[in-house]
Amino acid sequence: MAEPKLPERPTLDQLVAFFRDDTFAFDRAGCRIVEGWAGHGVCQMDITPGHLNAQGHVMGGAIFTLADYAFAVASMCGACAAVSLTSTIEFMKATKGTRLIATCDADKTGRKVGFYTIEVEDDLGEAIAKVVTTCYHPSVEQHLPVG
């Protein structure tokens, strides 16, 4: 079996270098990794005018992108690959803050399937959204879909 691309407890520099190629989250959305290890990931995003919808609130897709980035950190540490199977998001309130923070923790991980919850709050400490994601860890013999 192939070795994981990241150790179970990578340094912040290792995380940033590995996930730097997630250009949509990193370059377009401005997501930044705060910390991560196997089963845990924290990312943040400063809210800019480009994140806002027509009503002046943070676009749901921007919130989901941040949550998905935190999930990627938590699920890829110590794993060869992780592919999201399902995700559901519940929006709790619009933020009045200037930054969003997504904290992902594994509820249960197995050899092939993992279950994760991501809490998104703002810099004022308000709960903004909750995401529940199930992922699959394919074997090295399988090829991951492109895209």
Side-chain angles (χ1 to χ4, degrees):
M1 183 164 193
E3 290 293 315
K5 295 175 181 161
L6 285 168
E8 286 192 13
R9 291 196 71 90
T11 66
L12 184 57
D13 287 341
Q14 287 173 308
L15 288 169
V16 170
F18 181 79
F19 286 103
R20 178 64 180 92
D21 289 336
D22 284 351
T23 57
F24 181 79
F26 189 85
D27 292 331
R28 306 290 192 283
C31 299
R32 298 294 181 260
I33 299 169
V34 175
E35 64 184 24
W37 52 81
H40 176 78
V42 178
C43 296
Q44 65 185 19
M45 175 178 70
D46 291 332
I47 299 168
T48 69
H51 293 118
L52 305 181
N53 61 22
Q55 298 170 6
H57 300 292
V58 178
M59 177 72 70
I63 295 169
F64 183 81
T65 296
L66 177 64
D68 192 53
Y69 203 49
F71 157 72
V73 171
S75 64
M76 286 295 296
C77 292
C80 292
V83 179
S84 178
L85 294 175
T86 64
S87 292
T88 59
I89 187 166
E90 297 174 358
F91 298 102
M92 297 175 184
K93 74 183 294 185
T95 183
K96 293 183 180 8
T98 61
R99 175 179 292 159
L100 295 176
I101 303 101
T103 302
C104 177
D105 286 300
D107 299 312
K108 181 182 183 311
T109 59
R111 203 170 58 82
K112 292 287 186 183
V113 179
F115 303 89
Y116 295 81
T117 299
I118 306 103
E119 305 282 344
V120 180
E121 65 178 30
D122 62 16
D123 55 335
L124 304 175
E126 297 290 328
I128 303 302
K130 177 180 176 180
V131 179
V132 177
T133 298
T134 302
C135 77
Y136 175 67
H137 294 284
S139 66
V140 293
E141 294 82 30
Q142 296 172 316
H143 297 284
L144 295 175
V146 177

